[in-house]
Amino acid sequence: MSDVPQQLQYTKDHEWIRREDDGTVVVGITDHAQHQLGELVYVELPEAGRPLKPGDAMAVVESTKAASDVYAPLAGTVAGVNPALTSQPELVNTDPYGAGWLVRLKPADAGPAVALLDASAYAALLDAAH
Amino acid sequence: MGHQTPLYAEHVAAGARLVEFGGWDMPLQYASALAEHHAVRKSCGIFDVSHMTVVDVMGPDATSFLGRLLANDIGKLREPGQGLYSCMLNDAGGVVDDLIAYWTGDDRFRLVVNAATRSQDLAWLARVADRDDVVLRHRDDLLMIAVQGPLARELAAPLLPNGAGGMALALKPFNSLLQDDLFVARTGYTGEDGFEVILPAATGIALWSALAAAGATRCGLGARDTLRLEAALNLYGQDMDTSTSPLVSGLAWTVAFEPADRQFRGRAALEQQKAAGIREKLTGLLLEDRGIMRHGQRVLTPAGEGVITSGGFSPTMDRSIALARVPVEAEGPCQVEIRSALRSARIVRPPFVRHGRVLVE
């Protein structure tokens, strides 16, 4: 079974979102997503300062077999990316909710967001897909 | 659900992740496709390739039939046991499939063709055979295991049934032995040494288990694809198909225009192509920038545009490599369009890796 931490929010596209005390938002891909992709061999991350609309492709994760876009869950700008993934893309597989985080966003003041799911709704979505 | 090989239950029990391929449910990987890849380069891996199509050709016209069917010359085989890699072509010179033909005995050959092309291949064989005095027997009763890697032959030989290990170890590359219902060839699709073993299901399941117990790493289609790409072995349907000639697919060396009076299917079309001038070639690409090249991406060279036929990540080289069809004059630096960004790449002469060693700079 995939790991779905309670304290995070999720998108139907298998991103997770963690709201930080400083007002930024950290985004990664879920345990289910990394498992589906297989071992990652390359991660492409956005430039700091890039403005994003909800649903924009902001990163690409590539395994030996396929490339997959990662989408911005809300409006904002890129405040930082995970520098470790340049040399260790496999961190996304081994620690998807921790050391394998992808992008830190500074949300726009009042921007739209994609529909976010809580942990139980995301877990239900995974169950329904099986 | 697709077809299942006789080893399906073994794969499930070993925790394989399964994928549909050419109508078959096949292992994509077990624990790690990257670890499986490295195991084949450094020690020994085993692959269930029972989805491949085995056809026995028997009868007085077997040799003349293959002389017309194959772009390579079956007459090159000097003694039973030898194998020949070849394409079979349609009348436009396009590739119907690639295969290995083994001479198995008097008026007998064994063909191993691809899985995804099975029905079109069988139809084409029957059509070319036409009024020949040959019997075509599709051997879907057999199982096929590839044992590949620098330690593969030593590890597999003592485990082969019928005490065939000694004879198997004596095989030269691209040679085979057939002993009752056990077939062993010193061939493969990884760029490493090894065997491909074809045998009945019951003994095949026992052999698979024995190989795994002896330390061979179970490998899936994921590792099979990265290994063959590093070895620059063409994949039918990606690097060539019915719309491409072997002359633009890196396979000119497999087309035997001599003897000049051998009328094989597709010959006239290939001669016309040669007379008109061959404008494209299949070559290797190394990505100089970060990223991963993929099938279908555009290649921009000073000599004109090309396209990636197979691209991916090379675990041995830790960078992206590809096969691409480009203008025949193209060489040196080029660019690849990866998701609308132009990335720097370089044209290199394949293969990239053979026998555990990187061959390109």
Side-chain angles (χ1 to χ4, degrees):
Chain A
M1 254 338 271
S2 293
D3 182 22
V4 182
Q6 274 301 320
Q7 69 277 18
L8 302 177
Q9 291 179 289
Y10 300 88
T11 71
K12 63 174 174 42
D13 295 315
H14 309 288
E15 290 101 10
W16 58 259
I17 292 106
R18 189 176 71 227
R19 294 178 188 278
E20 304 282 88
D21 291 343
D22 64 0
T24 61
V25 167
V26 175
V27 182
I29 65 169
T30 66
D31 185 42
H32 171 81
Q34 69 78 19
H35 184 74
Q36 289 297 311
L37 281 164
E39 297 156 290
L40 295 194
V41 293
Y42 176 65
V43 178
E44 188 167 295
L45 297 168
E47 301 269 312
R50 181 176 150 196
L52 293 166
K53 299 190 299 294
D56 281 357
M58 65 173 185
V60 182
V61 285
E62 301 207 27
S63 69
T64 51
K65 62 183 167 128
S68 184
D69 286 323
V70 180
Y71 302 101
L74 42 75
T77 54
V78 176
V81 299
N82 185 347
L85 300 183
T86 304
S87 58
Q88 295 174 275
E90 67 273 16
L91 289 173
V92 178
N93 296 114
T94 54
D95 192 6
Y97 299 111
W101 68 276
L102 296 175
V103 177
R104 182 183 295 273
L105 296 175
K106 182 175 188 304
D109 289 339
V114 302
L116 297 179
L117 310 172
D118 64 16
S120 60
Y122 180 66
L125 181 132
L126 294 184
D127 284 343
H130 279 286
Chain B
M1 204 161 77
H3 300 293
Q4 297 174 354
T5 81
L7 289 168
Y8 181 83
E10 309 293 318
H11 303 321
V12 171
R17 184 182 304 183
L18 298 160
V19 66
E20 195 276 343
F21 177 81
W24 293 77
D25 290 336
M26 299 300 292
L28 176 64
Q29 62 175 63
Y30 298 83
S32 159
L34 294 174
E36 292 159 24
H37 179 108
H38 293 307
V40 172
R41 287 277 177 255
K42 291 173 183 156
S43 55
C44 177
I46 49 175
F47 302 80
D48 177 10
V49 285
S50 307
H51 59 311
M52 302 285 287
T53 306
V54 179
V55 180
D56 286 337
V57 179
M58 298 162 283
D61 292 339
T63 306
S64 63
F65 162 64
L66 294 176
R68 283 183 290 109
L69 178 76
L70 301 179
N72 209 342
D73 181 13
I74 198 73
K76 288 178 181 174
L77 302 184
R78 291 288 163 228
E79 57 187 31
Q82 292 181 332
L84 183 77
Y85 175 77
S86 182
C87 292
M88 48 184 183
L89 308 178
N90 60 28
D91 291 329
V95 182
V96 175
D97 203 0
D98 64 337
L99 57 84
I100 299 178
Y102 299 95
W103 187 5
T104 45
D106 290 343
D107 296 330
R108 295 173 73 94
F109 294 85
R110 173 163 285 181
L111 309 182
V112 179
V113 305
N114 280 303
T117 49
R118 168 171 298 180
S119 57
Q120 76 191 51
D121 286 353
L122 295 174
W124 183 249
L125 291 174
R127 188 168 148 198
V128 175
D130 192 24
R131 290 188 293 271
D132 285 340
D133 188 359
V134 290
V135 174
L136 301 174
R137 187 168 167 217
H138 174 203
R139 298 301 305 267
D140 55 2
D141 54 321
L142 300 176
L143 181 154
M144 181 164 170
I145 298 171
V147 193
Q148 301 278 292
L151 306 183
R153 292 166 61 240
E154 293 292 337
L155 188 141
L159 305 177
L160 293 172
N162 309 358
M167 282 172 64
L169 280 176
L171 288 173
K172 296 192 181 83
F174 249 77
N175 274 250
S176 66
L177 66 86
L178 181 63
Q179 196 182 79
D180 300 325
D181 48 14
L182 172 71
F183 175 91
V184 183
R186 191 171 169 190
T187 48
Y189 193 49
T190 60
E192 298 298 327
D193 206 345
F195 294 134
E196 291 177 299
V197 185
I198 301 174
L199 69 181
T203 46
I205 294 168
L207 175 62
W208 178 266
S209 301
L211 287 163
T217 299
R218 298 177 187 86
C219 299
L221 294 181
R224 185 166 163 85
D225 193 50
T226 52
L227 288 159
R228 73 92 196 167
L229 180 59
E230 287 187 344
L233 297 166
N234 286 23
L235 174 59
Y236 187 80
Q238 286 197 11
D239 302 308
M240 74 291 199
D241 58 26
T242 50
S243 71
T244 52
S245 149
L247 304 181
V248 297
S249 304
L251 298 174
W253 64 276
T254 71
V255 179
F257 288 105
E258 300 293 333
D261 60 350
R262 186 175 68 92
Q263 290 305 319
F264 62 87
R265 300 298 286 250
R267 178 178 190 124
L270 294 193
E271 285 177 342
Q272 280 177 13
Q273 291 171 14
K274 279 217 301 187
I278 301 299
R279 295 190 186 85
E280 295 176 301
K281 64 180 177 184
L282 196 76
T283 190
L285 294 185
L286 279 182
L287 190 64
E288 307 275 25
D289 284 341
R290 287 167 38 77
I292 308 285
M293 299 183 285
R294 302 283 183 186
H295 172 79
Q297 290 170 346
R298 281 203 308 158
V299 182
L300 307 178
T301 85
E305 266 194 39
V307 65
I308 288 177
T309 55
S310 288
F313 177 74
S314 160
T316 305
M317 300 170 70
D318 194 24
R319 65 192 299 183
S320 182
I321 60 174
L323 295 175
R325 186 169 285 112
V326 298
V328 73
E329 302 84 7
E331 54 182 48
C334 64
Q335 291 180 303
V336 178
E337 189 178 80
I338 302 178
R339 287 185 302 278
S340 72
L342 292 178
R343 306 291 175 115
S344 296
R346 187 156 48 89
I347 294 170
V348 296
R349 187 186 167 88
F352 303 92
V353 182
R354 281 281 168 96
H355 300 300
R357 294 176 52 169
V358 176
L359 301 179
V360 295
E361 292 276 305

